[in-house]
Amino acid sequence: MAPVEIKENLFWVGAVDWEIRDFHGYSTNKGSTYNAFLAMDEKVALFDTVKKTCRSDLLHNIRKVTEPAKIDYVIVNHVEMDHTGTLPELIELAKPEKIFCSAMGKKAMVDHFHREDWPYQVVKTGDTIRLGKRSVQFIETKMLHWPDNMFSYIPEDRLLISSDAFGQHWATSERFDDEVDEAELFMHAAKYYANILLLYSPLVQKLLKSVQEMGLAIDMIAPDHGLIWRSGLKKILEAYDRWSRQETEQKALVIYDTMWHSTEMMAKAILAGLMEQGISCRLLNLESTHRSDVMTEVLDAKALVFGSATLNNGMLPRMADMLNYMSGLRPAGRLGAVFGSYGWSGEAAKQIHAVLEEAKFRIMDPALRVRYVPTHEDLRKCVELGREIGKAVKE
Ligand code: FEO
């Protein structure tokens, strides 16, 4: 990829990672990008870097615009290594006058790179620096999603460089939202929110309100992953508002894992009952559905119905993985139900129930358990459970 001028004399100089398929547990099945931006002004400023494995893309792109040694300021909006992996090499080449970061950013950089001697300048919300014709205003966004995160706002360009927020893991040759399929773009943005930001939803709500109160004029949001928002600004801001309020649809998921298809038979019967109620529903077999794709569906689903067979006095491993992952992301205000087949002890249902209780789900009791293989009568009860869940979703 070559640099792309996103505003006059302000260039995207990041990297497209076509091959990454796993981002610490998130299935990036269409790759990702690490976005970095270079502002050419009286002071030359680089906003963020890229993952270490993509170092040559960043350096190549910078060199197409200027020499790294000409960079005066490096602005580190976030220290996670997909954005700072190339920082030590860049600092060596550029020898910048200053590295701007939040207080927690400085601490995290010292802990990552063990360099107390770098020219850090700590900034906080409201601090502004001048590059020449343009200025940069900083907005701390603590815990979105690390303590060090911040935004950089350039009023003269009406540009918000938003670090991880508003990102998507999607490798494309296009750089702007209006150059790609909108439905696919929003699917990737939703997946990103569900898997990275969902647990910080109360903070996202606060941030959206404070950005509104600050009255920032914005016509472009440039995240550190994926496409840059310019035509779909209103839509993505509305989506973040909806997602962070944990608004759900009349939608139910049947999420299950099975040993000898008995739990699967139950899952399909529950699905039939849900479908009778005319709500949107999905059947998600954990053998074939990645945990991060399940989370994308969880984002707007009102009811989550979990089923597992019992193995070694517990739930199946993929279900334990799913529940552990989902609990960490804290979906709120959901309705839950539990089912499963077992042979002689049947602890899986009790364990799933306990997880849902801890996650403050409104649980439909009792769990529906079947010994070994469901009878016609058992499956009729499953259909009935589906109907009851469907009615509750519509309440
Ligand atoms: Fe894209 Fe939190 O790093």
Side-chain angles (χ1 to χ4, degrees):
M1 286 291 300
V4 176
E5 191 168 18
I6 65 165
K7 292 278 184 181
E8 193 181 349
N9 283 324
L10 202 155
F11 299 85
W12 174 90
V13 289
V16 180
D17 190 344
W18 299 98
E19 290 171 2
I20 187 168
R21 289 293 177 270
D22 180 273
F23 202 100
H24 46 60
Y26 176 142
S27 81
T28 47
N29 54 356
K30 288 209 172 176
S32 190
T33 74
Y34 315 110
N35 298 336
F37 304 96
L38 185 67
M40 299 300 294
D41 213 315
E42 286 166 33
K43 293 288 186 186
V44 175
L46 177 69
F47 297 80
D48 299 316
T49 71
V50 301
K51 198 172 165 182
K52 197 171 185 176
T53 50
C54 299
R55 60 171 288 285
S56 55
D57 300 82
L58 175 74
L59 296 176
H60 172 80
N61 282 337
I62 292 173
R63 285 191 173 112
K64 287 241 177 180
V65 181
T66 189
E67 275 307 308
K70 299 258 173 69
I71 295 171
D72 301 294
Y73 295 160
V74 176
I75 291 151
V76 177
N77 285 314
H78 180 29
V79 182
E80 191 164 7
M81 284 197 271
D82 46 333
H83 309 294
T84 60
T86 311
L87 190 63
E89 184 173 355
L90 193 278
I91 301 287
E92 282 306 304
L93 290 168
K95 300 201 171 21
E97 199 180 314
K98 285 176 180 167
I99 302 172
F100 294 96
C101 57
S102 65
M104 293 306 284
K106 177 181 173 185
K107 193 170 180 304
M109 271 188 275
V110 170
D111 287 343
H112 276 75
F113 306 112
H114 313 295
R115 295 295 301 262
E116 301 265 4
D117 58 324
W118 283 356
Y120 303 105
Q121 174 139 353
V122 168
V123 291
K124 57 186 187 317
T125 296
D127 287 354
T128 301
I129 59 166
R130 280 223 77 81
L131 302 181
K133 284 184 190 153
R134 54 167 65 89
S135 57
V136 184
Q137 185 180 329
F138 301 103
I139 303 163
E140 289 171 274
T141 57
K142 263 184 203 168
M143 295 317 299
L144 287 176
H145 66 128
W146 275 22
D148 55 272
N149 279 86
M150 63 178 193
F151 289 174
S152 296
Y153 171 61
I154 304 178
E156 295 80 3
D157 292 318
R158 301 165 77 95
L159 170 66
L160 183 70
I161 298 175
S162 63
S163 187
D164 278 328
F166 308 107
Q168 331 93 45
H169 285 308
W170 188 15
T172 57
S173 56
E174 297 83 358
R175 294 276 61 82
F176 293 101
D177 57 351
D178 46 30
E179 298 172 329
V180 297
D181 178 75
E182 188 184 63
E184 183 164 9
L185 174 64
F186 272 85
M187 185 279 288
H188 288 295
K191 180 171 179 176
Y192 188 95
Y193 189 92
N195 284 276
I196 295 180
L197 294 172
L198 185 63
L199 77 159
Y200 303 113
S201 288
L203 296 174
V204 174
Q205 271 292 302
K206 269 192 197 163
L207 179 71
L208 291 173
K209 282 194 180 77
S210 63
V211 167
Q212 201 172 24
E213 282 162 15
M214 288 163 89
L216 308 182
I218 299 169
D219 67 15
M220 190 179 284
I221 295 179
D224 274 0
H225 296 288
L227 284 302
I228 296 167
W229 302 93
R230 63 178 178 193
S231 299
L233 269 186
K234 190 167 176 285
K235 272 194 181 172
I236 189 64
L237 287 168
E238 283 169 358
Y240 263 57
D241 183 40
R242 206 167 53 245
W243 295 334
S244 59
R245 278 190 281 108
Q246 297 232 23
E247 250 187 46
T248 53
E249 306 284 333
Q250 289 192 356
K251 174 176 166 184
L253 311 178
V254 182
I255 304 162
Y256 75 98
D257 199 3
T258 193
M259 283 175 69
W260 296 105
H261 303 290
S262 291
T263 301
E264 182 172 62
M265 288 164 73
M266 297 175 76
K268 288 179 175 169
I270 293 168
L271 186 81
L274 287 166
M275 287 172 77
E276 274 184 25
Q277 292 300 311
I279 63 164
S280 177
C281 38
R282 303 280 182 273
L283 183 71
L284 303 169
N285 181 346
L286 292 176
E287 186 186 0
S288 52
T289 313
H290 194 273
R291 65 175 89 80
S292 53
D293 294 316
V294 173
M295 278 313 299
T296 313
E297 297 288 352
V298 167
L299 188 59
D300 63 355
K302 176 74 181 170
L304 311 182
V305 190
F306 291 94
S308 172
T310 293
L311 175 74
N312 303 331
N313 308 113
M315 65 183 99
L316 289 171
R318 280 187 288 251
M319 181 57 73
D321 170 88
M322 182 68 239
L323 290 173
N324 181 51
Y325 186 72
M326 183 198 72
S327 300
L329 289 162
R330 295 188 209 159
R334 268 42 173 209
L335 184 64
V338 184
F339 66 97
S341 152
Y342 69 103
W344 54 96
S345 55
E347 290 90 344
K350 201 183 292 180
Q351 290 178 0
I352 296 170
H353 192 285
V355 174
L356 300 188
E357 208 166 46
E358 176 76 24
K360 298 187 168 51
F361 277 51
R362 181 160 67 90
I363 309 170
M364 298 192 65
D365 279 321
L368 192 51
R369 299 192 312 156
V370 164
R371 198 184 287 272
Y372 290 115
V373 177
T375 60
H376 183 75
E377 176 57 17
D378 292 328
L379 293 176
R380 193 197 57 75
K381 286 182 188 162
C382 290
V383 174
E384 187 50 36
L385 175 64
R387 283 189 198 116
E388 290 307 310
I389 297 165
K391 283 178 197 160
V393 164
K394 291 194 286 188
E395 274 169 10

